[in-house]
Amino acid sequence: MMLGILGGRIYDPRNSKDGEVGDIWVKDGRVVTPEDVDQKAAQTVDATGLVVMPGGVDIHAHIVGSEVNSGRKMRPEDHRGHERARSGGLRAGAGGTVPSTYLTGYLYSELGYTTVMQASAAPLVVRHTHEELEDVPNLDKGAFIVMGNNHFVMQCIADKQPEKARDYVAWLLGASRGYAIKIVNPGGVENWKWGKNVAELDDEVIGYGVTPRQIVQTLATIADDLGLPHPVHIHGINLGRHTSARTTVEMIAALDGHRVHLCHIQFLSYGAGRGHVHRSEAVAVAAAVNASSGVTVDIGQVIFGNATTMTCDGPLQYGLHLTTGNKWINDDVEGESGGGIVPITYKPGNPINGTMWLTGLELFLLIDDPWRVFLSTDHPNAGPFTSYPQVIRLLMDRDYRREMFESLHPRARRGALLPDLDREYSLGEIAVISRAGPARALGLEHKGHLGVGADADVAVYEECADKEAMFSRPRYVYKGGELVARDGAVVADVAGRTFSVAPQYDAGLEVELREYFKKAYTVSFDNYSALSGHGAPTEIVACG
Amino acid sequence: MSTVVEHVTCPFCGCLCDDLTVEAEGVEIRKVRLACSSGQGIFMDYDPRPRRPLVDGREVEWENAVAEAASILSAADSPLIYGLSSSASEAQRKAVALADRIGAVIDSTSSVCHGPTGLAMQAVGEPTCTLGEVRDRADLLVFWGCNPDASHLRHFPRFSLTAKGALTPNGRADRTVYVVDVRPTGSSKKADHFLQVDVGSDFEVLTTLRLLVKGKEPSVDTVGGVPVAQLKELVERMKSCRYGVAFMGMGLTMAPARQLNVAELFTLVAELNEFAKFSVLPMRGHGNVTGADQVLSWTTGYPFAVSFARGYPQFSPGEFSAVDMLARRAADAAVIIASDPGAHFPAAAAAHLERIPTIVLDHGPSVVASHARVVFPTAAYGVDAAGTAYRMDNVPIPLKRVISTGRLTDEEILDRIIEAVA
Ligand SMILES: [Zn+2]
């Protein structure tokens, strides 16, 4: 299959193209030089006047696996009115904030996205994650493996055996076919199994005597030592609390010298405000990010409307249940994790929701380097990924931003910095925060750009003044050179790949693990690995 | 040739014990270690002889059976796909693909066991945990309307009553155990406390427990046959335990008030978290009925009773649940996968199943197969087919192939049918 996308305005930040007119040639799913293609035989598309970008790369979304699926099961009210009928070779589906798997793939295609990372999976249930990933078409994917409350890791730290922890992490990533180390509320999830939490980086984890600080430092060191393509991916402590900005800044300081990704930091950038309404501390958090070149972040921008909160942060979710009175799922996972789910509706008239919304935008506008701040709604926690075009408009159009700001509750608006921030993102910067930047942070060499050798994941948009309309309706979307969406509607269902890592470890560890499993798990060691039995093959990305 | 396979998963019940060792001589299974009596039966009674598909009771070639199945389904206006709970998730995914393709209603045995549990979860949520947390942490167990002593034979030693774990090194001695049921059972005899509830009174008793948790005083001395003093004692234990776990079964889901009972228990458990860590687990029955919920949820958004008749998934228990579809004569053809509604459904539903053309996929004989138009003999997942099943706590566990009979799997047969109806 050969393809030419000709005469478009190319936004390919990694290759320093900022709207230059040019051609993209594709052969066998990859971008190639014009000489590599028999141009007469190739199919061509006239992209004159159109904006050509690499396919979108989502660094943090909850699209599959046990939590997401419990969210689907719990929320029939989320699906009704958000159905999609089968047509041609396309599968039926349903879901607004927690769409079914096939529909998830189609909806991403309809935005021009081609790569999405599943933000969390507990290794005990990662076989489930991989089963669902197989049923998500049109996307390349990977799964982050939660380790921040893992008993074996914490015991290694308590025993001062960092090498053993490193071997274990390497083994676990391979066994679970994971892509990166995820940390969620380090130590707090374990303490939640005692009905408690952590509040400070130096609080103790019950039963282990280790601290959140030691956990993040150990795992960040391991990620660096193993040369993982993506660094530790951290959801810190105190998410949603008025102490979160302080502990986020402390976390950044604690991890100085490491590569780190901090996810959905909007939820972790609050200070104490008047009358139980948090205030935005985006200034302090953005300053810490700006000063630390090893740190990347995604925002988790709040979208007004329905959302489904779901995290491994069990105590946080319980708190949300108490605050909202909404139905609540909790799930403690033996030896390694936990989690919770609570539906929520964000309203501009709610002062707390308004503060969350403007905190996210302030972070986007105050973090200087677009290569270190990425577009996310922590789907479906702060809102569904289908709202990305609205976030793009908010970033590119300050009048629209001000107009929406005016709709917020007065207590959210009072003293807010946002109206004074005049910055507007350019199309090139949008291509960075939604494509090139996340691909670079993920270490996916062949994603997020259109240079020779890149995967032929391409989104072609028609520029218009309303950037939300523009990004909601790509003219063409190609996944690996195949047309998957046209005029904002999915037209094909193609299989995606799953990326994983397989770092080296001392195989002698397995002898100890075999014994450890007899006591620590209710599943046999041999049945724990996502590789046991038959499973979908993953594509190994090299560690360096 | 003799083989020994270790770490084998028993596909019988929702415990999915994965520590069995199976010895076989060719396709003859000789010995199974660690399985309970039900699990022994799955392996030891397995008939590995090759069988051919049947159309109207006569042996035919596979192509002919597939063609007949496809023509039945192509001609049907309102086909029903039912069963799934003793199949693997790989096949369940194919079953949904078939339902999507032909615009069928698809339902699993969930709708006749823990369907109300799913509805309760949709109403109020569900604070839960994996079985390892029960083993390692739980110092208070409450079994409500379930009798694992008879239904889930290794539940007590592996996960709950006598299991030893990190914080429960002495097993049984480290736990207080309640059974709540309408009659004494094997499980109640092993409990420290048995609360016998009048038939149909579970909801009142649960409501009273919620009242007591909130520190309010009921104006009566006895509720549902249980002295309030005993309920107060239970509430004190619930509020002061380290890690409490309630297990619930069909004594709640199939009693009057159904999902309201379950929602009341789930709410009680949620409210207890203000005082102590507390979780609840449904005692799911069939080996992979949990997987059926999972697969239907990720492909359609809904756990059971899903219709594709309008092209997109719709959820309506009582309307698209198999018993109701059949009893209302709303289905005009059926695909039954690894299940026997002919033996277990109410008479009106079973009778309609005999009237309509039915396609059965099963590894052994069944009542429904005896009057089916097409019967596909299959491999049994966990015996002569590998796959994935979900334990009652939603942990996915691989099912191994311990003997190689060459029989086709549900997945392979469904694939052929999908191709043939396309
Ligand atoms: Zn997240």
Side-chain angles (χ1 to χ4, degrees), chain A residues 69 131 193 327 332 334, chain B residues 122 132-133 277 294 390:
Chain A
N69 212 36
E131 280 213 291
K193 295 174 183 179
K327 55 190 173 185
D332 294 342
E334 65 205 59
Chain B
Q122 291 176 343
E133 299 288 23
K277 201 70 204 308
Q294 291 284 4
Y390 287 72

Side-chain angles (χ1 to χ4, degrees), chain B residues 28-46:
Chain B
E28 300 291 333
I29 295 173
R30 297 283 191 230
K31 192 170 180 187
V32 181
R33 276 197 290 265
L34 287 185
C36 68
S37 55
S38 307
Q40 289 283 346
I42 288 266
F43 292 99
M44 297 304 291
D45 301 344
Y46 192 68

Side-chain angles (χ1 to χ4, degrees), chain A residues 60 62 119 264 378 381:
Chain A
H60 187 109
H62 301 257
H264 44 73
D378 188 15
N381 280 285

Side-chain angles (χ1 to χ4, degrees), chain A residues 65-66 69-81 83-95 98-103 124-135 151 190-196 208 318 321-322 326-337 339 514 517-529 532-535, chain B residues 7-9 18-19 89-90 93 96-104 118 121-133 135-137 158-159 164-167 242-243 269-275 277-279 284 293-303 308-317 386-391 393-400 411:
Chain A
S66 68
N69 212 36
S70 294
R72 293 188 189 106
K73 183 179 171 186
M74 179 172 69
R75 300 208 65 189
E77 75 280 7
D78 175 80
H79 316 330
R80 295 183 173 126
E83 294 98 347
R84 180 80 62 104
R86 71 177 169 274
S87 72
L90 302 174
R91 294 282 296 265
V98 276
S100 52
T101 53
Y102 290 91
L103 183 55
L124 182 63
V125 291
V126 74
R127 173 179 286 269
H128 178 173
T129 305
H130 287 291
E131 280 213 291
E132 285 199 36
L133 284 176
E134 281 187 286
D135 282 352
H151 286 189
E190 175 62 23
N191 282 4
W192 171 238
K193 295 174 183 179
W194 299 82
K196 301 195 163 52
Y208 290 89
Y318 178 61
H321 160 63
L322 293 182
N326 293 342
K327 55 190 173 185
W328 168 56
I329 287 175
N330 181 73
D331 193 4
D332 294 342
V333 179
E334 65 205 59
E336 45 195 47
S337 187
R514 212 166 260 284
F517 263 69
K518 287 181 188 162
K519 286 210 181 80
Y521 282 98
T522 51
V523 174
S524 307
F525 177 77
D526 296 75
N527 292 326
Y528 177 82
S529 167
S532 61
H534 72 131
Chain B
H7 315 293
V8 171
T9 304
D18 69 326
D19 57 355
S89 60
E90 289 81 358
R93 287 154 68 186
V96 179
L98 176 62
D100 187 332
R101 178 70 59 87
I102 63 176
M121 182 257 218
Q122 291 176 343
V124 303
E126 182 181 345
T128 191
C129 64
T130 65
L131 289 163
E133 299 288 23
R135 183 193 65 185
D136 287 345
R137 297 175 192 272
R158 290 193 70 219
F159 309 125
K164 293 176 181 172
L167 302 174
R242 174 183 58 215
Y243 198 102
V269 169
E271 288 169 350
L272 281 166
N273 277 273
E274 196 184 325
F275 306 95
K277 201 70 204 308
F278 226 102
S279 295
R284 303 305 305 266
D293 280 25
Q294 291 284 4
V295 168
L296 272 157
S297 294
W298 87 58
T299 50
T300 74
Y302 308 111
F308 284 95
R310 300 186 68 175
Y312 55 83
Q314 290 181 292
F315 173 60
S316 188
T388 301
Y390 287 72
R391 206 165 66 178
D393 58 354
N394 294 302
V395 173
I397 301 196
L399 303 176
K400 285 197 166 76
E411 189 184 351

